[in-house]
Amino acid sequence: MAVRTITCTGKAVAPYLADLARLRSTVFRDYPYLYQGSADYESEYLTAYARSPRSVFVLALDGDTVVGASTGIPLLDDQPAFHAPFREKGLALDEVFYFGESVLLRDYRGQGLGHRFFDEREAHARRLGGFALTAFCAVERADDDPRKPAGYRPNDAFWIKRGYRRQDDLFCTLDWKELGDAAASPHLLRFWLRPLEG
């Protein structure tokens, strides 16, 4: 069956929240995140997105099964941990539309869905109006990290091709529990930005 995408905003995503929580926990277990998912955290995180009437969820479905998803939200509507780096750099929070994540099950990669996720979120930000930048962040890992799988390729080339630029002075820190760890630890994430053209 062909994969289709649908776009939901705000509370309209409610029927899919449990599926999205499972999908995030599954995909983020892999390198480079190595995330040991928590059902409570996932529910809290996704519910915050659903509360924003200006948020967007782009879902990839195979039949009725959610196999991929991406999210976006005005930066002002997201958690404060993401605000501080932009304030410190003198960037107006109300002009930034933030992309939360793109997650896609391995068997569905390489079919153009990653581009579709970015296209739809950027289009949503344009429709809302008032945004000068789109932004996202990605975890930083050392090049020689022993957990890195053989043949691993970061997404940097894909992001650069889409016009995003990695920032050398824009970072945030988030805590999560890695696989096999007893407690959460801090992780450095680097922001990538792109001007939102009309």
Side-chain angles (χ1 to χ4, degrees):
M1 186 176 292
V3 176
R4 61 192 171 95
T5 59
I6 62 170
T7 300
C8 306
T9 57
K11 294 178 182 176
V13 77
Y16 300 99
L17 287 179
D19 290 337
L20 291 178
R22 281 191 296 274
L23 180 65
R24 276 177 43 89
S25 292
T26 297
V27 173
F28 284 141
R29 286 178 67 84
D30 291 342
Y31 187 87
Y33 286 88
L34 304 172
Y35 171 64
Q36 186 173 308
S38 153
D40 287 343
Y41 174 80
E42 290 302 320
S43 174
E44 181 182 324
Y45 170 83
L46 290 165
T47 299
Y49 266 66
R51 271 196 303 266
S52 170
R54 299 187 299 163
S55 67
V56 65
F57 297 79
V58 185
L59 310 178
L61 294 99
D62 188 344
D64 294 326
T65 304
V66 179
V67 298
S70 63
T71 63
I73 192 169
L75 184 61
L76 274 176
D77 294 355
D78 207 346
Q79 54 186 298
F82 297 109
H83 298 177
F86 287 86
R87 279 201 179 101
E88 289 167 12
K89 196 172 178 180
L91 296 170
L93 300 185
D94 61 347
E95 294 182 359
V96 181
F97 194 84
Y98 178 73
F99 295 164
E101 71 273 293
S102 287
V103 288
L104 187 61
L105 294 177
R106 190 179 310 278
D107 289 348
Y108 295 87
R109 296 174 191 169
Q111 301 177 30
L113 290 166
H115 282 291
R116 183 71 183 268
F117 287 161
F118 273 89
D119 289 344
E120 293 295 326
R121 291 180 297 179
E122 290 164 2
H124 178 76
R126 285 189 199 98
R127 282 192 298 272
L128 288 174
F131 296 102
L133 294 169
T134 51
F136 63 88
C137 61
V139 67
E140 291 279 290
R141 295 289 191 189
D143 287 338
D144 60 353
D145 191 314
R147 300 166 299 179
K148 182 165 63 175
Y152 171 77
R153 286 186 330 191
N155 289 320
D156 297 28
F158 172 75
W159 297 331
I160 290 168
K161 189 174 182 180
R162 289 213 52 108
Y164 286 84
R165 296 292 172 254
R166 77 186 243 142
Q167 304 299 299
D168 291 329
D169 58 352
L170 202 59
F171 296 89
C172 70
T173 302
L174 298 178
D175 292 347
W176 68 80
K177 191 186 293 187
E178 289 194 3
L179 296 173
D181 287 354
S185 57
H187 296 83
L188 186 69
L189 293 95
R190 179 192 299 272
F191 282 93
W192 292 68
L193 303 182
R194 173 187 162 175
L196 184 65
E197 296 143 359

